[in-house]
Each structure stands twice: as structure tokens, then as C-alpha cells.
Amino acid sequence: MTIRAVVKGVGHYLPKRVVENSEFEVSLDTSDEWIQARSGIKRRHFAAEGEKTSDMAISAAQAALSDAGFEPNDLDAVIVATSTSDLTFPSVATIVQSGLNMTGGFAYDIQAVCAGFVFALSTANAQILSGQAERIMVIGAESFSRLMDWEDRSTCVLFGDGAGAVLLQAERGKGSSDDRGILSVDLNSDGRHKDILYVDGGVSTGQTGYLRMQGKEVFRHAVEKLAQTASVAMEKAGVRAEDIDWVVPHQANIRIINSTTKKMGVAPEKVVKTVKDHGNTSAASIPLALSVAKANGQIKHNDLIVTEAIGGGLAWGAIVLRW
Ligand code: UT7
């Protein structure tokens, strides 16, 4: 008998304001054609003035609770993956706890930028397997529009805001790859690449700062490292590319998604793609994609899923789970 962390509910929130590529044509030397051809992005959502990462996280968590049929006080823990917390502290997770009127358990944030949700899911899985918690809400929530330099066309057209949440619960499994729940995890980071994707502000500078990225370099690392981590996670889970029902990749660039999944040997029709409508929402992109894919009938009970992400650090990883 083995304990597995099984997905019991999923939900998401997207801010009301939708920004089409054409809006950027007014102020920047760019075009809808370039943005779509180079990134696959057509539109993204931006948080309203005053709308915070925690507000989006709370809405996504409420949707996941309702999907699972649980109350906030049924949770043992809340983990939020974010690089855009409302304030330096407290954690977004404790603000979510308060917003849900959850009076027990524990709550904290994880910061691994675009790979944050994979790292948070891995941590939640470890706490469930160790018996520290039975039910954990794992949220990815971001307001990357707050980090954009609106004069830098190479970055500001790529990112969006939103939140997604997944509720995990301990269940008994047989210990085989037929079990539902998280089957394997592979995490990596390499701080030698910290300067190719970063924000040039923070506590040490006294300003929030702007996102800076050497896009081509990040792209090169992404394709190689994502295919590698996915293959390690699949090997650890004892599954092959032909067993996979869905790849749910971090949604940064359609060309990265297509190259990576081709390297993995997974057919294009088995890949969940939301980058066109959401842009890159960093740690929110995977739970958002999971929630949208479940809502539109793509992901079903018992489906075998690989999810993978890479971001600033660099930090990257993959998880194999059965839905
Ligand atoms: O989530 C974290 C991980 N992040 C990523 O995975 C992002 C990885 N990188 C990428 O997605 C791509 O590298 C980009 C979409 C950022 C850029 O695509 P690219 O094919 O690598 O283009 P590039 O940076 O080589 O730029 C090509 C040209 C340049 O002009 P020159 O030097 O050839 O004259 C850029 O100045 O495109 C120009 N350019 C633009 N043109 C119109 C850059 N941004 C824009 C723009 N509109 N918005």
C-alpha cells in the first residue's frame, strides 16, 4: 500500500480585462503578426487597478474547493507559487487563508518563478506522502503585468495575469503507475544562468523593478531542459511517451511547446495549449491550463498527464500524475 496525492478539484480565475496584441501596436514598434508568429500569443488578461495576486488566488481556490465539494476548513494547508506577491510579506498564502476564512492548518509561498507550480506541487506531494498533511490547496497566482517595462517590446507583449488552483488529497494506491495521483517528480535548478531572466528590482534596490530577459538564450535552454526533465520524470514513473494522454506544459511560447513535445515523442493533439489566450502567466500557467482543459472536456478521470516548466534561476522540473 502506498499513499498518493490525488487531484480532487481544480479551478482558475482570469481578470476581466483582455488585451489583444493589436493594443501594443499603438505604443510600440510591434505587430500582431510578429507576436503570434514568434510566441503563439494572441491575447492576455491584465489585472485591474488595485486587483492583487491574492485576490486572483482566492477566486481560483474557491473554484477548486467548489469543484472538489470541500469547505476551506477541510484543508490542512495552502501553498501559493508566485513571484508577484502583494507585499514583501506576509505570504500570499496566508492572505488566501484569511480570505477563505480558514482558521487552521498552515500556509506559505514558494518562489521558483515560471517553474513555481511544479515546485509547489512537488512540496505538497512530499508533505502528503510524509503524513504531514492530508489535503493541500496548491495555487499558482501571478500579476506579471506589474513587472513589465512597457517600452521593452521584447518582453511586455509576452506576459499575462491569472491564477489556477489544484486541491490534492491523500489516498491509498497500489504503488504502480496505474494509481491515481502524483506518480513522479523531477526538479532542477542552475544558478549559473540567473542573469538571463530576472527582475532588476527588489528589497536590495528599493524599487519593484522590471523583468529582463535574454529571450533567445532562455528559449535554447527551455527546449533542451524541458524535454530532459520530462523524460526523467516519465522514467521515474515507469511510463512511456505512448502511455501519455496529455502533456500540460508551462505556457510561455508555442514554439517551445511544439519543439519540446516533439522531442518527447508525444503527438501534437495530446498537448494542452492555452498560450494563445493567456500569454505567459508564469507560475499560474499550468494550473490555469489544467483547469481550462478539464472544463472543456480534454482532461478526464484516470488520464495520464505530464506537466513541465522552466523559469528564472534557471529552475525547471516535471511531474507525472494520473488525474
Ligand atoms: O516563462 C519563462 C521562460 N520564458 C520563455 O520561455 C521565453 C523564451 N523566449 C522566447 O519565447 C523568444 O525568444 C521570444 C518570443 C522572446 C523572442 O523570439 P525570437 O525568435 O527569439 O526573437 P529574437 O529575440 O531573436 O528577436 C528577433 C527580432 C529582433 O530584431 P533584429 O535584431 O533581428 O532586428 C528583435 O529586436 O525581433 C525583434 N523583436 C520584435 N519585433 C517586433 C523583439 N520583440 C519584438 C516585438 N515585435 N515585440
Side-chain angles (χ1 to χ4, degrees):
M1 205 270 299
T2 310
I3 298 294
R4 297 288 193 192
V6 176
V7 175
K8 302 303 285 182
V10 63
H12 71 272
Y13 171 84
L14 286 161
K16 282 199 182 58
R17 185 172 166 222
V18 177
V19 177
E20 300 286 338
N21 288 345
S22 52
E23 275 199 41
F24 291 101
E25 291 174 352
V26 179
S27 53
L28 288 171
D29 180 14
T30 190
S31 65
D32 174 38
E33 196 188 2
W34 189 95
I35 300 168
Q36 283 203 66
R38 305 314 295 166
S39 71
I41 298 164
K42 174 88 181 131
R43 57 184 70 85
R44 74 288 289 141
H45 295 246
F46 282 164
E49 181 121 19
E51 190 171 34
K52 298 187 288 292
T53 296
S54 62
D55 297 324
M56 297 189 283
I58 291 166
S59 297
Q62 284 166 335
L65 279 168
S66 135
D67 186 44
F70 289 133
E71 298 296 325
N73 281 312
D74 294 330
L75 299 173
D76 297 318
V78 175
I79 306 177
V80 176
T82 189
S83 305
T84 46
S85 46
D86 302 4
L87 302 167
T88 304
F89 70 81
S91 64
V92 174
T94 53
I95 302 172
V96 170
Q97 203 186 14
S98 151
L100 293 176
N101 290 319
M102 185 184 152
T103 51
F106 57 95
Y108 60 96
D109 291 356
I110 281 191
Q111 208 265 53
V113 204
C114 297
F117 187 76
V118 170
F119 279 61
L121 214 51
S122 152
T123 306
N125 181 51
Q127 290 188 315
I128 286 176
L129 299 195
S130 71
Q132 253 188 304
E134 283 201 1
R135 250 178 232 147
I136 305 185
M137 180 70 77
V138 188
I139 305 168
E142 301 279 20
S143 316
F144 261 52
S145 64
R146 313 277 187 230
L147 298 177
M148 292 300 114
D149 173 352
W150 300 112
E151 290 177 4
D152 179 4
R153 66 177 183 171
S154 72
T155 54
C156 72
V157 301
L158 302 174
F159 293 87
D161 303 334
V166 164
L167 199 163
L168 293 177
Q169 176 174 267
E171 287 191 0
R172 288 170 207 281
K174 296 193 299 284
S176 78
S177 62
D178 293 336
D179 289 344
R180 290 186 63 218
I182 293 177
L183 301 176
S184 70
V185 173
D186 182 60
L187 299 184
N188 311 267
S189 54
D190 186 345
R192 287 176 301 175
H193 305 300
K194 63 183 169 38
D195 298 331
I196 63 172
L197 176 51
Y198 68 104
V199 171
D200 62 3
V203 172
S204 63
T205 67
Q207 279 166 352
T208 307
Y210 297 115
L211 182 144
R212 305 295 180 201
M213 177 168 71
Q214 292 174 33
K216 256 199 169 10
E217 268 299 286
V218 176
F219 190 108
R220 196 175 59 75
H221 283 288
V223 175
E224 175 209 314
K225 290 179 166 53
L226 289 173
Q228 165 79 12
T229 187
S231 114
V232 172
M234 288 194 291
E235 201 180 316
K236 285 185 186 173
V239 302
R240 293 162 309 167
E242 49 270 39
D243 303 326
I244 303 301
D245 294 301
W246 293 104
V247 179
V248 184
H250 170 48
Q251 308 284 322
N253 185 314
I254 197 69
R255 293 185 295 136
I256 295 177
I257 293 173
N258 291 342
S259 307
T260 306
T261 46
K262 191 172 173 196
K263 270 184 173 231
M264 287 167 63
V266 174
E269 61 274 15
K270 292 184 171 182
V271 183
V272 172
K273 296 167 192 172
T274 54
V275 67
K276 182 178 173 202
D277 296 321
H278 300 168
N280 182 346
T281 58
S282 189
S285 94
I286 289 173
L288 257 168
L290 285 168
S291 180
V292 166
K294 190 202 166 193
N296 69 20
Q298 286 177 291
I299 294 179
K300 294 187 207 61
H301 190 81
N302 248 17
D303 276 355
L304 188 63
I305 295 173
V306 179
T307 182
E308 32 88 339
I310 187 165
L314 294 173
W316 68 102
I319 285 183
V320 176
L321 72 145
R322 192 173 292 283
W323 193 257

